[in-house]
Amino acid sequence: MKISRLMLMPAVAVLAALSLPAFAQAFTVTDVAGRAVSFDAPVERAILGEGRMIYSLATIETENPFAHVVGWRNDLWTTDVKSFDAYVEKFPEAAELPFLGRLTDGTLQVETVVTLDPDVLILPIGDKTAAEEVKLEETLADVGVKIVYVDFREHIIDNTVPSLHILGQLFGKPERAAEVADFWQSKMDAIAKVIAENDIERPDVFMYRAAGLVECCGTFGPDNFGLMVELAGGNNLGSDFLPGYTGSINPEQVIASNPDVIVVTGSDWTNSPNATDFVSVGPGTAGNAEASRAMLAKLVDAPAFTGSTAVAEGNVHAIWHQFYTSPYQFVAIQEMAKWFHPELFADVDAGATFKEFYDRFLPIDYEPGAWLSLKAGE
């Protein structure tokens, strides 16, 4: 049985702890898996089961998003090194946090979790099946560690706002979480209103997932980026073939579908294994735009895309892959809406929206570069 840190405090400290203000009182959070998880007070020690959760946590723990983080997975470093470096520059202690393995590939060591003595292990909902298979919840419960599931990827409409509120509860910042969630909702509603009020013709859009990092043709089904395409006024071709939010279809099917628009997802995957030909887009990559544009041209020169309407008309774009696992989806939707319906969304400035979000909610500075088009200047 885990010994409570409260039991180790001297008597005076215990009395002080018992007189903590109201926000430190016990609470119960219902995670996105529908599990009710109770805590005596806001968490002091947390493990991020996905490093990219920092995109969300940083909006809530703005003064120092790593103040209560004792370990995290290394995926921010491998998939978005520019953001990793930006956070480490602002918060050097982040570089000293231990990297943990991944539950779904068996590299997360329970012994490491226990050694770090967290109050909570925050996991993406996609890890739930793997957690159940190894009875992780029961194992950690024996040592007083609780699991909470959040989701910014699999069901973005259903789970993004609840996940923000969950983080707000866990870290004792419910009002801040509500402010972030309200901003997210207002931006999502604004685009939806324009789409609903206009009789639009939806272009057929092929989302090329992690282009160059995985074999052609990875894409998205009816959620995640696939849903973002629909919300931006496009017809996501991957939804016709994939039941889940992600998967692959063969090049012949892409040829037969003849997309009107191709959108490649990219990031700075320099630290990812076997990363070679990829489009580096994301905050902080604007200086590499010409090289990224050349790589985009090379990727869509593949047989799956040559001869398509999208390539023939130059309607080819690249967008930051990490929009797909963050609470920034509304930015991607704004930019794609402008690509799909330039006249309807002529006044939309996704870059200004993203900067506003950074300025209001994030502790690091905004840097451009989160998208580009094959045609320079678009």
Side-chain angles (χ1 to χ4, degrees):
M1 182 175 180
K2 184 179 179 182
I3 298 176
S4 168
R5 284 182 288 279
L6 189 61
M7 295 171 60
L8 301 178
M9 293 180 179
V12 173
V14 171
L15 289 173
L18 293 176
S19 60
L20 287 172
F23 66 77
Q25 292 180 354
F27 65 93
T28 297
V29 61
T30 301
D31 69 10
V32 298
R35 301 163 56 255
V37 187
S38 297
F39 294 86
D40 294 332
V43 299
E44 292 293 331
R45 299 174 64 82
I47 291 175
L48 306 184
E50 181 177 78
R52 285 169 290 180
M53 288 178 187
I54 206 66
Y55 298 140
S56 307
L57 181 57
T59 68
I60 294 165
E61 288 270 77
T62 305
E63 289 185 9
N64 184 353
F66 300 96
H68 301 294
V69 176
V70 296
W72 57 340
R73 217 178 85 206
N74 72 338
D75 54 285
L76 185 69
W77 181 76
T78 59
T79 67
D80 181 18
V81 67
K82 290 287 193 299
S83 292
F84 178 88
D85 289 345
Y87 276 105
V88 167
E89 182 179 359
K90 183 72 177 287
F91 306 101
E93 64 271 28
E96 306 302 320
L97 291 174
F99 284 147
L100 281 74
R102 186 175 186 176
L103 186 60
T104 53
D105 65 10
T107 58
L108 177 66
Q109 300 297 319
V110 176
E111 294 82 1
T112 304
V113 174
V114 174
T115 299
L116 291 173
D117 189 32
D119 302 310
V120 64
L121 169 61
I122 307 173
L123 290 175
I125 191 63
D127 285 6
K128 187 172 185 292
T129 298
E132 291 172 342
E133 288 174 352
V134 298
K135 300 187 182 303
L136 184 63
E137 184 178 345
E138 294 87 341
T139 300
L140 293 182
D142 289 340
V143 292
V145 179
K146 299 175 181 183
I147 293 175
V148 169
Y149 292 101
V150 296
D151 177 32
F152 296 95
R153 179 190 287 120
E154 294 199 9
H155 302 294
I156 61 172
I157 295 298
D158 293 338
N159 290 339
T160 294
V161 166
S163 294
L164 288 168
H165 287 301
I166 288 164
L167 293 176
Q169 286 182 277
L170 289 177
F171 292 90
K173 304 283 180 62
E175 295 86 1
R176 175 67 173 190
E179 187 181 355
V180 179
D182 287 347
F183 186 93
W184 182 93
Q185 193 66 62
S186 69
K187 298 302 181 184
M188 296 289 281
D189 290 347
I191 294 292
K193 184 175 186 292
V194 175
I195 296 295
E197 291 178 349
N198 288 273
D199 184 18
I200 62 170
E201 183 176 345
R202 292 176 177 266
D204 290 331
V205 182
F206 181 74
M207 292 293 304
Y208 189 3
R209 177 181 175 272
L213 195 67
V214 296
E215 291 184 2
C216 185
C217 297
T219 191
F220 297 89
D223 214 311
N224 195 280
F225 255 118
L227 179 56
M228 285 188 253
V229 166
E230 299 289 337
L231 295 173
N235 174 48
N236 179 53
L237 291 171
S239 300
D240 296 336
F241 308 104
L242 300 175
Y245 80 91
T246 187
S248 295
I249 61 178
N250 61 54
E252 292 75 19
Q253 187 59 67
V254 179
I255 294 170
S257 298
N258 187 22
D260 300 307
V261 183
I262 296 170
V263 181
V264 161
T265 69
S267 192
D268 189 335
W269 279 298
T270 301
N271 295 330
S272 293
N274 306 315
T276 52
D277 293 346
F278 57 86
V279 181
S280 183
V281 286
T285 65
N288 302 324
E290 288 311 309
S292 295
R293 188 170 284 112
M295 182 57 67
L296 178 59
K298 177 181 176 180
L299 287 167
V300 297
D301 193 38
F305 309 110
T306 53
S308 67
T309 299
V311 171
E313 297 183 358
N315 211 342
V316 176
H317 314 274
I319 199 161
W320 189 35
H321 186 78
Q322 312 311 333
F323 280 123
Y324 97 132
T325 185
S326 68
Y328 316 149
Q329 304 102 334
F330 56 87
V331 180
I333 293 168
Q334 281 191 352
E335 185 61 23
M336 289 194 295
K338 194 161 187 171
W339 290 336
F340 304 162
H341 305 284
E343 294 182 0
L344 196 58
F345 292 98
D347 295 334
V348 168
D349 186 342
T353 299
F354 209 9
K355 186 179 187 305
E356 180 186 3
F357 188 84
Y358 264 75
D359 292 346
R360 285 186 59 178
F361 299 113
L362 290 172
I364 60 174
D365 293 333
Y366 170 73
E367 294 185 79
W371 51 79
L372 57 80
S373 297
L374 191 58
K375 291 181 179 179
E378 290 191 359

